[in-house]
């Protein structure tokens, strides 16, 4: 997919998702070229993410590269403990973050919602961790009034602020 900024093509984005009985394997690559401080800079990101069969986050690797400054972040979940290993200019750092509960991967939330089959008025809270921004939050999904399509009535999930 093309990435556009102010109507001009600035780069591209590619995502590949493989679903199987072990969960989801996702590969994502983005490249954007921008002019910053009168200098053309290219930013490239490459992410590999794996989930468990229930779509909770299992592990990830994110590589971010700008001119002369590559960064690699590896994350592994063991229960509620997320271990982050980062490598910036070949200097490794390790950090453990204790999360309140095992999070889902944001790109897998649609599958979680489908599996719950929300009814109108029901509420679903989904904790998630975004490897790219390294932030966690909880999304609240509400089952809304049904839609009639092709003779079938379905529940429309609605997302509330996280």
């Amino acid at each position: 997919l093309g990435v556009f900024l102010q109507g001009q093509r600035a780069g591209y984005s590619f995502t590949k998702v493989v679903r199987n009985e072990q969960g989801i394997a996702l590969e994502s690559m983005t490249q954007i070229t921008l002019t910053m401080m009168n200098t053309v800079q290219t930013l490239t990101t490459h992410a590999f993410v794996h989930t468990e069969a229930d779509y909770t986050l299992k592990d990830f690797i994110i590589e971010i590269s700008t001119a002369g400054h590559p960064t690699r972040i590896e994350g592994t979940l063991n229960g509620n403990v997320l271990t982050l290993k980062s490598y910036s200019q070949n200097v490794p750092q390790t950090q453990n973050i204790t999360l309140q509960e095992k999070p889902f991967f944001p790109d897998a939330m649609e599958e979680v919602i489908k599996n719950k089959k929300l009814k109108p008025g029901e509420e679903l809270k989904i904790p998630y961790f975004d490897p790219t921004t390294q932030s966690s939050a909880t999304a609240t999904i509400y089952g809304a009034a049904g839609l009639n399509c092709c003779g079938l009535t379905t529940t429309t999930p609605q997302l509330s602020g996280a």
Side-chain angles (χ1 to χ4, degrees):
L1 296 172
V3 175
F4 291 83
L5 181 63
Q6 297 179 342
Q8 298 290 321
R9 186 180 182 107
Y12 67 91
S13 179
F14 159 82
T15 301
K16 177 182 176 184
V17 178
V18 177
R19 289 177 174 82
N20 57 39
E21 58 276 352
Q22 286 86 31
I24 292 176
L26 177 133
E27 178 183 2
S28 172
M29 188 186 324
T30 302
Q31 184 171 350
I32 300 174
T33 302
L34 303 168
T35 301
M36 296 182 286
M37 299 174 64
N38 294 324
T39 304
V40 176
Q41 298 282 332
T42 299
L43 171 70
T44 303
T45 64
H46 203 171
F48 303 92
V49 181
H50 297 99
T51 73
E52 301 287 357
D54 65 355
Y55 305 115
T56 54
L57 187 61
K58 180 178 181 181
D59 59 45
F60 63 87
I61 297 171
I62 296 177
E63 298 168 337
I64 303 168
S65 179
T66 59
H69 190 78
T71 300
R72 179 182 173 104
I73 302 165
E74 300 172 359
T76 305
L77 257 158
N78 187 1
N80 293 1
V81 178
L82 175 63
T83 301
L84 294 174
K85 294 181 183 176
S86 62
Y87 305 86
S88 182
Q89 296 182 341
N90 292 323
V91 177
Q93 294 183 9
T94 301
Q95 176 184 7
N96 289 319
I97 300 171
T98 301
L99 303 170
Q100 295 215 346
E101 51 192 317
K102 194 164 181 184
F104 290 88
F105 176 55
D107 288 5
M109 287 174 51
E110 183 178 343
E111 295 297 324
V112 175
I113 295 166
K114 284 180 192 176
N115 289 340
K116 295 294 181 182
K117 297 183 170 75
L118 282 178
K119 293 180 176 49
E122 288 184 336
E123 177 181 292
L124 174 64
K125 292 190 179 287
I126 303 175
Y128 65 90
F129 181 83
D130 183 354
T132 304
T133 61
Q134 298 201 4
S135 62
S136 61
T138 299
T140 303
I141 312 297
Y142 297 96
L147 297 175
N148 190 326
C149 175
C150 308
L152 302 172
T153 300
T154 61
T155 301
T156 305
Q158 293 183 339
L159 178 63
S160 175

